[in-house]
Amino acid sequence: MECISVFDMLKIGVGPSSSHTLGPWRAGRRWIAELKENRQFESVISITVDLFGSLSLTGKGHATDIAVILGLCGYDPQTIDVSTISSIIDTIRTSKQLKFNNEILVSFDPTSQIIFNREFKEFHPNGMTFHATLTDGKKIDSSFYSIGGGFVVKEERKRKEKKLTEFKEFPMPIQKATDLLNYCQTQNKKVSDIVLENERSLRDDQEIDHRIDQIWTVMLESMYTGCHTEGTLPGGLNVRRRAYDTHQKLIGSAVYNTPTDWIEAIRDTEVKFRQILKWVSCFALAVNEVNASLGRVVTAPTNGSAGVIPAVMMYYMVIENHDANFDDIKQFMLVAGEIGSLFKKGATISAAMGGCQAEIGVSSAMAAGALTELMGGTPEQVLMASEIAMEHHLGLTCDPIAGLVQVPCIERNAMGAIKAINACEMALDTDAAHAKVPLDKVIETMWETAQDMNTKYKETSEGGLAVKVSLSDC
Ligand code: SF4
C-alpha cells in the first residue's frame, strides 16, 4: 500500500505548474544525483534534454524549459530567490553556458539543447529524457516522468515497485476512504488524529509542526503578495492582475505592515455577505497570480490549483473563527493532505492524465473535507464534503489558453474554493451516514472519467478554450 505523507501532497515550490515546472525541475536534480551515484557527473561535457507529450505541448507556457535549466543548475525550488530566476535564465541564454549543479561549466544552448517532441511516451504523458556525453565520448541517458503534484518517477522503478511485496507502511495503512473512516469509527478519532498518528511514524512532532508552519507561511505570503502586487502577468496574454484591485476595495484604509497583521486587519473589517465571496475569490486569485508569475507557492496538490486550500483556510480564519490558531491550521493541513492522497492513490492528481478535475477538483475536495473537520463535522461529514466537492468537478477539462497557467486556471481556483465552502456547508447539514455516493465511488468515477477523456483536454492546449481563444485575440 502506498505510503504518502501530508508533506508529499503539500510541497513548497515555484510556479506556474507542479507537473510541468516543479516535476521537471526535481527530475533535473534527481538526474544529477544519479550521475553522482554512478561516478559519471564529473565526466559530463554536454547535455541535451528531450521533453515529450504534454510536457512538450504546453511546456513553453508552463515554463518547463526554465524549470529544467534551474534543476540542471542545482537550484532548490524550495529555497531559490525567485526574483533572480529571470536573470539566471537570461545569462544562460546569452552565454550559451550552464553551470551544471553549480559545479561544472558546460556549453548549453537552451534553444537547441532542450527539444520539444510532440510524441507521447507510453508510460505517462509527461516524459523527459536527459542525455549526456562524457569525456570518453560515451553517451548516456536517463528518463523520468512527472506524474503530477511535483512527483517524479522512473519507469523501471515504478514497474519494480509493483512487484515488491515489502512496502514501508504507516501504522494505519490507508488505501481508500473506507479504510480511513474505519480507523476513525473504531478508535473514535477525528480524521486529523489518524493522519497525525501515521505522520508520526515518519517524523517527530517538532518536525511536523515546523513543516506545517513553513507551508502556512508560504501560503499566507503568496496571498499577501498577490493582494499587494499590481500589473500584468507575463506570457503575452496580457492578463491583468485582479487580486490587487479587489483587495484594495475590500481592505479600505486599514493599516498593517506584515502578513500576520494583515489577518487582523481583515478580521477588523466589517465583512458583509457579498464580500465573503469576494474575499475568498481574492485570496485564491492572489495565490494563482503569484503562481503564474513564477512566484513561490505551495503545491496543493498542484501549482495550477495552489490557491484553493489557502483561500479556504483563510476564509476560516477571517470569517468563521477569529480565534483560529496554529492548531487549526495543522488540523486543516493534515485532513487536506490525506484527502489528496486518496485521490492520488485511487485516481490521479495529474491534469495530463485526468484534466482539471484532477487539479481543481482534487484541491476543492481536499479543502472541503478539511474545512468540515474544523467546523465540527464528523469524519463521515468530512468525507461527504470531499465527495460533494469532487462530484461537481467531474469531467472538468484542462484547456489553458496559450499553454499558460492563467486562463481559465486562475479564476478556476476561486470557483474551487467557493465550491469547497458550499460542499462543507451541505455536508454539515446532512446525515452523512446515508450518503448516496461514497467518496471512494466518486474517486473511482473520476478515474474512469479521466480514462475516457479525450487527450486534447488533458493539458495539451489542443482543445476547449485553448483553441477557441489564441494569443493574437488577446
Ligand atoms: S486548466 Fe486546470 S488543470 Fe489545466 S493548467 Fe489550468 S488549473 Fe491546471
Side-chain angles (χ1 to χ4, degrees):
M1 201 179 282
E2 223 176 332
C3 165
I4 300 177
S5 159
V6 167
F7 304 107
D8 292 324
M9 298 307 302
L10 305 172
K11 292 188 278 284
I12 297 170
V14 174
S17 167
S18 43
S19 56
H20 288 52
T21 315
L22 189 58
W25 190 324
R26 296 174 96 202
R29 284 165 59 87
R30 273 188 53 181
W31 183 48
I32 290 168
E34 193 179 283
L35 290 169
K36 290 205 168 207
E37 207 179 301
N38 298 337
R39 298 181 189 282
Q40 292 169 314
F41 176 79
E42 305 288 341
S43 312
V44 171
I45 53 170
S46 87
I47 301 166
T48 312
V49 185
D50 274 302
L51 303 174
F52 296 97
S54 171
L55 275 192
S56 166
L57 292 169
T58 55
K60 290 216 168 94
H62 283 47
T64 306
D65 45 352
I66 292 173
V68 163
I69 294 169
L70 293 170
L72 294 176
C73 291
Y75 288 102
D76 182 342
Q78 189 158 336
T79 56
I80 188 172
D81 175 356
V82 291
S83 67
T84 63
I85 291 177
S86 58
S87 69
I88 294 168
I89 299 298
D90 286 348
T91 305
I92 291 167
R93 282 187 175 138
T94 312
S95 66
K96 299 188 175 27
Q97 286 189 318
L98 171 152
K99 207 157 187 196
F100 195 28
N101 200 34
N102 205 19
E103 292 180 52
I104 311 171
L105 205 56
V106 293
S107 63
F108 189 79
D109 180 357
T111 316
S112 57
Q113 285 168 262
I114 299 180
I115 302 154
F116 291 82
N117 303 275
R118 291 184 66 83
E119 167 200 347
F120 278 72
K121 291 282 187 187
E122 194 192 328
F123 180 69
H124 192 279
N126 291 334
M128 75 205 98
T129 303
F130 296 98
H131 307 267
T133 306
L134 307 182
T135 42
D136 60 3
K138 190 175 169 194
K139 293 188 188 305
I140 54 171
D141 60 61
S142 185
S143 294
F144 295 85
Y145 297 87
S146 177
I147 59 169
F151 287 85
V152 173
V153 297
K154 294 207 54 121
E155 184 176 6
E156 56 268 33
R157 188 164 300 170
K158 187 82 180 171
R159 285 194 172 144
K160 262 186 227 154
E161 270 178 7
K162 283 184 182 160
K163 290 183 205 149
L164 284 178
T165 47
E166 256 188 36
F167 258 109
K168 173 162 183 50
E169 282 212 343
F170 281 134
M172 287 175 276
I174 296 165
Q175 184 69 24
K176 289 177 174 280
T178 44
D179 301 327
L180 176 59
L181 188 59
N182 190 34
Y183 293 124
C184 292
Q185 289 172 335
T186 53
Q187 299 180 35
N188 196 22
K189 286 184 174 167
K190 291 188 262 202
V191 170
S192 59
D193 296 330
I194 302 295
V195 184
L196 183 59
E197 277 309 305
N198 277 343
E199 207 60 49
R200 280 179 174 145
S201 69
L202 302 175
R203 46 188 66 86
D204 63 26
D205 280 324
Q206 202 181 355
E207 172 75 6
I208 292 169
D209 287 0
H210 175 63
R211 288 207 187 193
I212 288 180
D213 186 51
Q214 280 183 318
I215 283 168
W216 174 244
T217 300
V218 172
M219 285 182 173
L220 179 59
E221 284 174 355
S222 60
M223 286 185 277
Y224 187 80
T225 303
C227 284
H228 295 86
T229 309
E230 279 184 278
T232 303
L233 295 173
L237 269 182
N238 297 317
V239 173
R240 186 172 155 73
R241 286 173 176 264
R242 276 187 292 173
Y244 179 87
D245 291 335
T246 306
H247 178 258
Q248 287 295 304
K249 285 181 205 150
L250 292 168
I251 198 75
S253 55
V255 179
Y256 50 88
N257 293 310
T258 64
T260 314
D261 287 350
W262 180 52
I263 293 176
E264 290 304 329
I266 299 169
R267 284 173 175 165
D268 287 344
T269 58
E270 200 199 331
V271 180
K272 299 194 179 68
F273 174 70
R274 271 191 70 212
Q275 289 172 332
I276 295 175
L277 292 180
K278 289 189 184 190
W279 269 116
V280 173
S281 298
C282 182
F283 298 140
L285 296 177
V287 174
N288 285 81
E289 287 172 1
V290 169
N291 180 60
S293 48
L294 275 73
R296 172 152 291 118
V297 297
V298 175
T299 301
T302 66
N303 278 29
S305 59
V308 175
I309 286 174
V312 175
M313 182 68 233
M314 195 68 164
Y315 160 80
Y316 181 75
M317 294 178 85
V318 300
I319 308 287
E320 288 291 349
N321 179 7
H322 287 196
D323 296 324
N325 57 26
F326 177 75
D327 290 340
D328 297 290
I329 295 167
K330 180 175 173 181
Q331 201 178 336
F332 187 94
M333 299 304 164
L334 290 170
V335 178
E338 186 61 40
I339 302 283
S341 79
L342 291 174
F343 280 95
K344 179 160 179 0
K345 289 170 198 160
T348 179
I349 55 167
S350 164
M353 293 291 278
C356 199
Q357 57 176 353
E359 293 207 15
I360 299 292
V362 174
S363 63
S364 188
M366 290 164 75
L371 180 64
T372 303
E373 185 172 298
L374 286 190
M375 300 281 284
T378 62
E380 290 84 352
Q381 288 171 321
V382 167
L383 302 185
M384 182 184 220
S386 298
E387 183 283 314
I388 294 171
M390 172 51 80
E391 189 177 318
H392 303 289
H393 282 98
L394 285 175
L396 189 64
T397 61
C398 171
D399 53 355
I401 296 173
L404 294 161
V405 192
Q406 297 181 10
V407 185
C409 319
I410 297 172
E411 276 179 7
R412 209 163 262 184
N413 279 266
M415 305 310 286
I418 300 288
K419 276 194 199 177
I421 295 168
N422 202 13
C424 162
E425 291 297 339
M426 285 197 268
L428 288 173
D429 276 345
T430 307
D431 176 2
H434 299 109
K436 291 266 183 285
V437 187
L439 179 56
D440 286 327
K441 289 281 177 207
V442 94
I443 294 173
E444 276 173 40
T445 307
M446 179 203 146
W447 181 228
E448 284 162 16
T449 308
Q451 288 168 304
D452 288 341
M453 194 181 279
N454 191 302
T455 306
K456 67 185 180 181
Y457 299 119
K458 294 181 184 177
E459 212 165 6
T460 58
S461 283
E462 292 189 328
L465 289 173
V467 294
K468 203 56 81 183
V469 183
S470 67
L471 266 183
S472 56
D473 297 323
C474 305

